[in-house]
Amino acid sequence: MTRKISEPTTFPKERAFLVGIELRGEQNFLSMDDSLLELSLLADTAGLNVIGTTTQRLNHPNSNTFIGSGKVEEISALVEELSAELLIFDVELSPRHLRELEQRFGENIRIIDRTALILDIFAQHAHTREGSLQVELAQYEYRLPRLTRAWTHLARQAGGGGGRAGSVGGVGLRGPGETQLEVDRREIRKRIAILKSELEKVRAHRTRHRLQRQRSQIPVIALVGYTNAGKSTLLNALASSDVLVANQLFATLDPTTRRVTLPKGHTVLITDTVGFIQKLPTQLVAAFRATLEEINEADLLIHVVDCSHPNALAQWQSVNQTLREIHADNIPTINVLNKMDLIENATQPYSELAFIPENYPVSALKKKGLKELTYVIESLLFESMVPVHLKIPYSNGQAISLFHDQGQVTKVEHTRGHIIFQGFIPARLLTSFQPYFAEITASNQEE
Ligand code: GDP
Ligand code: MG
């Protein structure tokens, strides 16, 4: 994988030392070393200077410091020798482990874990109102139980990695018998409540917006895939647009949508999404509901795989796992094997990816295989019909006439209040008819 050489900045980059950990018996998509490599790409994306790494295999986490006490000594010496300012653990540290580690390593070094690092990157790249609110909320929820030092520490932590926690106005007055820590916690809880209510407002607005788009009946395609797979490059190639492309993780966070005209003249909307990564903690998945909801409402998913990556298969599986978790696994999906131009020198033999269903080889960068891809998209969305069983209320005349216009009826049944249809609809209208999917159970007889 090529790595972008970081641009020189006027600020010296924070010097980070990484700690990879493998727990025996734990199932992971990536080996300890691959995971550490990814952590270092994440650190790079966050604007950090990775000055060294170390690893440890453990049977169980040490109850105090997660890593063993000998390892703590070893890292302490290294950190001093290399003048590291930041220690990043490639696991999620519990509040207790974090507290203990902070005590052992002292005031001069900041300690964060993989989750905190990802949150920092999300914070740097969140551009929409909703994205920013969600990231800030996730940061506070993550930090609340981990608040061990006074507010100054929190502010410093936020400033260093680009987080937003420092934006909280002032420190509240201490109530009778309250410690500074309690005041800080109270302030954070207050802020969390405010963020939640602001999010509700933004979401209500977005839902209205969505409904409008659905009514316009332009099919929506969501690009999904492991981070760095080439989603933004593919979108650019298909739409000749200029969505930010960077060989960095999470270069695009907020959904970016482009209108694309297919070879036979049909129009689709293609949405770029944030990349998936292994070990993305569930609280972060929740933080990106906006992006994920976008995926859920898509008529078609294009799953982009970097087939030149040695872990291409594991990445493909890991993305599928996340799609299952957000219940997006029943949306029709095309798998795109990207970066075919690199396949000669690939470590991962192409044959290992051949079993991936519905796969189309392309090179988004060299614009190879795109024409074929657009034909496949067009035929899937506009030419293939899927069988449905629908129950539509009489009051919803719009949906009924849409079915008569675009669908093929094989059986109609009238009940009190509803029409029950059996037949076929174009695949692109699946999402529009989703609210009316009939469960062939007692619900049909309820009236
Ligand atoms: P995303 O994170 O999935 O959006 O990935 P990007 O579109 O930002 O691409 C990540 C990196 O892969 C960039 O450096 C791209 O130039 C590179 N890339 C994307 N597609 C191809 C391709 O088909 N061939 C090659 N060689 N590189 C590609
Ligand atoms: Mg991207």
Side-chain angles (χ1 to χ4, degrees):
M1 191 191 311
T2 49
R3 285 192 53 186
K4 188 178 163 188
I5 309 294
S6 356
E7 286 104 10
T9 58
T10 42
F11 301 103
K13 289 179 153 201
E14 245 188 314
R15 298 164 66 80
F17 189 87
L18 313 184
V19 185
I21 295 163
E22 182 179 279
L23 283 177
R24 287 210 181 86
E26 198 179 66
Q27 285 289 313
N28 270 321
F29 283 112
L30 297 184
S31 70
M32 175 174 69
D33 291 335
D34 289 334
S35 180
L36 194 60
L37 200 70
E38 190 176 271
L39 187 74
S40 122
L41 195 48
L42 283 166
D44 187 53
T45 302
L48 301 168
N49 179 14
V50 177
I51 51 160
T53 64
T54 186
T55 57
Q56 184 169 48
R57 291 194 161 80
L58 292 164
N59 287 324
H60 306 285
N62 178 296
S63 61
N64 294 318
T65 50
F66 205 106
I67 49 175
S69 56
K71 199 70 186 174
V72 172
E73 301 285 315
E74 185 193 319
I75 297 172
S76 287
L78 276 168
V79 151
E80 188 149 353
E81 189 190 316
L82 299 166
S83 329
E85 298 156 281
L86 187 63
L87 204 52
I88 310 178
F89 285 79
D90 194 17
V91 284
E92 183 164 327
L93 295 171
S94 70
R96 180 196 166 86
H97 283 134
L98 184 65
R99 199 166 53 236
E100 288 289 335
L101 286 166
E102 280 178 345
Q103 257 162 27
R104 303 293 158 99
F105 284 97
E107 286 276 323
N108 290 330
I109 189 153
R110 276 203 300 134
I111 298 172
I112 65 169
D113 62 12
R114 191 182 176 93
T115 305
L117 180 64
I118 294 171
L119 277 170
D120 266 358
I121 295 169
F122 282 167
Q124 284 172 352
H125 291 281
H127 300 303
T128 63
R129 174 102 182 105
E130 183 173 9
S132 310
L133 288 171
Q134 279 174 327
V135 175
E136 200 181 340
L137 179 63
Q139 284 184 313
Y140 279 124
E141 286 181 334
Y142 172 79
R143 282 180 186 156
L144 185 58
R146 291 175 175 79
L147 206 57
T148 50
R149 295 177 188 169
W151 186 264
T152 47
H153 169 69
L154 183 73
R156 187 156 57 98
Q157 194 168 0
R164 279 147 207 252
S167 62
V168 175
V171 174
L173 284 178
R174 218 185 275 196
E178 253 185 335
T179 66
Q180 186 57 48
L181 207 56
E182 282 163 344
V183 177
D184 291 348
R185 291 205 178 106
R186 182 160 51 83
E187 285 297 314
I188 290 186
R189 281 195 201 97
K190 226 193 280 176
R191 184 70 191 149
I192 285 177
I194 293 170
L195 284 169
K196 282 184 172 164
S197 87
E198 282 183 44
L199 262 174
E200 281 312 310
K201 281 182 227 154
V202 175
R203 278 189 191 136
H205 179 77
R206 182 163 54 80
T207 307
R208 282 198 296 278
H209 203 70
R210 275 270 159 72
L211 290 175
Q212 250 161 27
R213 193 186 66 191
Q214 274 201 2
R215 244 178 271 128
S216 77
Q217 299 304 350
I218 300 175
V220 175
I221 301 172
L223 291 171
V224 298
Y226 214 75
T227 191
N228 220 45
K231 298 177 293 297
S232 301
T233 310
L234 182 63
L235 183 57
N236 283 343
L238 292 173
S240 323
S241 62
D242 57 353
V243 179
L244 180 63
V245 180
N247 190 20
Q248 290 188 337
L249 303 180
F250 306 113
T252 46
L253 174 73
D254 296 299
T256 324
T257 304
R258 292 285 180 277
R259 178 187 286 260
V260 174
T261 307
L262 298 169
K264 295 179 192 163
H266 295 103
T267 301
V268 291
L269 295 175
I270 306 186
T271 290
D272 195 4
T273 63
V274 65
F276 295 72
I277 63 159
Q278 196 235 180
K279 286 195 200 170
L280 190 66
T282 36
Q283 80 237 45
L284 302 196
V285 172
F288 292 96
R289 201 173 117 180
T291 313
L292 302 177
E293 275 182 0
E294 204 87 16
I295 293 171
N296 263 310
E297 285 169 20
D299 301 282
L300 178 72
L301 302 185
I302 295 183
H303 184 160
V304 184
V305 185
D306 171 359
C307 65
S308 72
H309 195 283
N311 284 313
L313 195 58
Q315 295 183 341
W316 182 73
Q317 287 163 337
S318 148
V319 171
N320 285 335
Q321 170 68 28
T322 309
L323 290 173
R324 275 194 292 279
E325 280 163 17
I326 63 164
H327 309 292
D329 53 329
N330 55 356
I331 302 172
T333 303
I334 295 176
N335 293 292
V336 165
L337 303 183
N338 189 33
K339 308 198 187 180
M340 283 307 279
D341 56 296
L342 297 177
I343 208 66
E344 258 89 47
N345 354 342
T347 347
Q348 168 91 34
Y350 172 54
S351 61
E352 283 199 23
L353 298 175
F355 86 91
I356 294 181
E358 300 294 328
N359 72 76
Y360 298 90
V362 307
S363 166
L365 193 68
K366 305 270 194 269
K367 300 196 181 358
K368 290 270 156 53
L370 301 183
K371 190 123 218 140
E372 292 79 355
L373 180 62
T374 50
Y375 274 112
V376 171
I377 294 170
E378 194 156 38
S379 111
L380 244 171
L381 284 176
F382 297 94
E383 286 149 24
S384 63
M385 303 288 277
V386 289
V388 284
H389 190 146
L390 303 170
K391 180 181 176 188
I392 309 178
Y394 286 119
S395 55
N396 204 326
Q398 226 185 355
I400 293 171
S401 61
L402 184 65
F403 189 83
H404 281 301
D405 280 356
Q406 308 266 332
Q408 292 164 5
V409 184
T410 51
K411 196 172 161 206
V412 193
E413 205 183 310
H414 295 263
T415 66
R416 216 145 55 81
H418 291 87
I419 300 188
I420 296 173
F421 285 116
Q422 275 181 53
F424 298 85
I425 56 167
R428 72 174 186 285
L429 296 179
L430 266 177
T431 326
S432 309
F433 282 106
Q434 194 130 17
Y436 311 112
F437 287 169
E439 292 182 32
I440 314 172
T441 57
S443 70
N444 290 351
Q445 278 101 52
E446 77 195 358
E447 270 104 351

